[in-house]
Amino acid sequence: MRDFLRSVNRIVVKIGTSSLIHPNGKINFAGIDQLAFVLTDLCNQGKEIILVSSGAIGVGMDKLSIPERPQDIPIQQAVAAVGQSELMHIYNQRFLVYSQQTAQVLLTRDVVDFPESRKNVINTLEQLLSMGIVPIINENDTVAVDEMDHTRKFGDNDELSAIVAQLMDADVLIMLSDIDGFYSDNPSKNKQAVLYSTISTINQTLMEQAGGEGSRFGTGGMASKLRAAQRVLDSNSAMVLANGKPPRIIFDILAGVDVGTLFKEA
Ligand code: ADP
């Protein structure tokens, strides 16, 4: 079932805030550095890599010494604006250690909803990939609001990463979170929860098992990860949800090792 992962070429990696920021709110430089190392190595192997990264608000909170996530939307957006440029600075630094170029791409939902702008996004990303550059995508938090408090039907970057995977016809979406995969219940509340190795259809039972909330810093939770998986399954592709601590797990995933949860049609 996982053999195909050994030969995938175009890969979208989504990294959640909880993999980029320590629980105490400080930036996880070791994690970001390892992510840069792993993704560069995959590029060097000839694969095409797109990174969808959360973390702008978390990094902004750290930079501005704000201990609690602000509720006020203009403050959230200001913190995201500070954090996004700092996050890109950190990524650029880390990737450049391995001589890998990156590019920032900020998207809003409407951009991918309209055919003209969607085509432009695809063209830009195709161009970057053909130049061997790793696009680092985030939702444009400073102008988009609803996804930050997940009050609309779309999730946060989970769904954005699935949309990008779909637009770019990716072979696999690797979604890195702070949890080992999808469990039969929230493992932080239920120690009996069992990890799914493979899921081929998303049904009501799974949606119920996904519960609602996520972690302190992440915003999507498991429900938005399932919605992302549904989108990926709809486009006949595959998604692996795994623990991004450490990001080196991507090597195992691409070696076909049974880690995380694989979402793929049987
Ligand atoms: P990220 O910030 O990486 O995007 P989230 O915090 O949004 O991640 O979501 C991950 C969290 O979802 C887990 O840490 C866990 O507490 C919670 N969760 C709820 N239900 C489940 C489930 N069925 N399986 C795994 N994790 C779950």
Side-chain angles (χ1 to χ4, degrees):
M1 184 77 177
R2 293 197 180 220
D3 281 353
F4 79 98
L5 288 164
R6 294 199 194 129
S7 53
V8 291
N9 180 56
R10 183 168 286 190
I11 304 162
V12 175
V13 175
K14 187 261 169 177
I15 187 128
T17 304
S18 49
S19 308
L20 301 169
I21 310 281
H22 289 298
N24 67 3
K26 293 284 175 198
I27 297 167
N28 179 354
F29 285 108
I32 297 176
D33 194 17
Q34 200 182 98
L35 183 68
F37 164 75
V38 171
L39 297 187
T40 301
D41 189 65
L42 294 174
C43 289
N44 290 350
Q45 290 175 31
K47 297 183 191 296
E48 296 174 319
I49 306 294
I50 299 173
L51 176 62
V52 176
S53 177
S54 303
I57 292 192
V59 171
M61 283 166 60
D62 181 49
K63 193 166 189 207
L64 298 172
S65 303
I66 298 174
E68 292 299 325
R69 193 185 166 88
Q71 295 305 312
D72 183 66
I73 285 166
I75 300 180
Q76 278 187 8
Q77 294 184 313
V79 173
V82 170
Q84 177 64 29
S85 66
E86 180 66 14
L87 182 62
M88 278 311 298
H89 174 66
I90 296 168
Y91 273 130
N92 279 335
Q93 268 187 338
R94 266 48 194 187
F95 274 94
L96 277 180
V97 169
Y98 307 106
S99 304
Q100 175 62 51
Q101 300 291 337
T102 58
Q104 172 182 257
V105 178
L106 297 176
L107 297 178
T108 45
R109 188 92 46 206
D110 50 338
V111 167
V112 291
D113 281 345
F114 290 99
E116 272 298 299
S117 47
R118 183 169 58 233
K119 189 87 191 79
N120 267 331
V121 171
I122 295 171
N123 288 345
T124 305
L125 292 174
E126 287 288 356
Q127 185 62 43
L128 288 167
L129 291 177
S130 71
M131 293 161 82
I133 297 170
V134 174
I136 302 182
I137 302 180
N138 192 8
E139 190 139 17
N140 195 351
D141 288 338
T142 57
V143 294
V145 180
D146 295 297
E147 81 283 358
M148 284 196 257
D149 287 315
H150 52 102
T151 50
R152 281 224 182 134
K153 60 184 159 72
F154 287 119
D156 62 359
N157 276 348
D158 295 336
E159 192 142 20
L160 174 64
S161 63
I163 290 170
V164 169
Q166 203 173 29
L167 283 178
M168 298 304 291
D169 217 0
D171 300 315
V172 66
L173 166 60
I174 297 179
M175 190 166 292
L176 299 178
S177 184
D178 63 345
I179 193 89
D180 290 341
F182 189 80
Y183 285 79
S184 55
D185 195 2
N186 186 345
S188 63
K189 294 186 181 145
N190 178 0
K191 299 289 165 226
Q192 313 298 320
V194 183
L195 178 70
Y196 285 93
S197 167
T198 308
I199 291 175
S200 52
T201 342
I202 292 160
N203 53 29
Q204 192 53 35
T205 312
L206 293 176
M207 285 311 286
E208 280 157 20
Q209 291 172 342
E213 341 138 25
S215 64
R216 180 177 156 218
F217 294 101
T219 51
M222 279 299 137
S224 81
K225 286 170 182 60
L226 283 191
R227 281 194 295 272
Q230 182 66 67
R231 189 180 277 274
V232 166
L233 290 176
D234 287 346
S235 48
N236 249 326
S237 188
M239 172 176 129
V240 178
L241 173 64
N243 198 327
K245 279 183 226 158
R248 198 177 270 275
I249 196 167
I250 295 172
F251 287 141
D252 290 338
I253 293 169
L254 296 178
V257 177
D258 188 11
V259 287
T261 303
L262 168 67
F263 295 83
K264 190 176 190 296
E265 266 187 17

